[in-house]
Amino acid sequence: MDDFSNPPSVEEQRRFRRRPVLWKGHVDLSTHRLECRVLNITPGGLLAELELPLAAGVQVRVLLPNVRPLSAEIKWYADGLHGLSFSEPPAQIRAAFGNKADALGFNIAPDPVQ
């Protein structure tokens, strides 16, 4: 298993309700664009498969269809999956998704931490 950092704690994992999706998109680094497949998304971040492993702490822009570019940071990588945290406040992420935010459950209160 390639692991560039520790996976997030249970508290971080449950900050928002995850919405399973299967979207194609791109992740822009300073000089490269990688294809990605988004597996779940929240107002706080997303889970994605990328073409190449990226280390925790790398700053990226996430490009999804019909959504403005979103700034994010790679938080962890394990078993081919990347956890990304959006760099913008959840309210701005909700606004970026427009009408899709309601369908994705972004306007619902986060799950309580157990």
Side-chain angles (χ1 to χ4, degrees):
M1 171 175 85
D2 293 316
D3 188 3
F4 293 109
S5 77
N6 295 322
S9 69
V10 172
E11 181 177 335
E12 290 169 328
Q13 291 178 25
R14 295 188 180 160
R15 191 168 148 209
F16 296 102
R17 292 183 181 138
R18 283 165 177 65
R19 178 67 172 190
V21 297
L22 190 55
W23 293 342
K24 288 186 178 182
H26 292 91
V27 170
D28 276 354
L29 298 128
S30 59
T31 59
H32 293 84
R33 176 171 285 181
L34 304 175
E35 287 188 15
C36 72
R37 183 166 59 163
V38 179
L39 304 175
N40 72 42
I41 193 161
T42 76
L46 58 84
L47 176 68
E49 294 176 330
L50 298 173
E51 295 177 75
L52 300 171
L54 298 177
V58 173
Q59 300 294 315
V60 299
R61 282 185 350 143
V62 178
L63 308 172
L64 299 171
N66 303 312
V67 177
R68 69 167 172 76
L70 304 168
S71 297
E73 177 182 342
I74 304 292
K75 289 305 220 180
W76 57 268
Y77 168 78
D79 297 327
L81 300 175
H82 291 79
L84 284 76
S85 176
F86 293 127
S87 303
E88 303 170 55
Q92 289 181 11
I93 299 302
R94 287 182 188 103
F97 279 86
N99 293 336
K100 288 184 185 178
D102 288 332
L104 290 167
F106 284 6
N107 295 321
I108 298 171
D111 287 336
V113 176
Q114 298 177 2

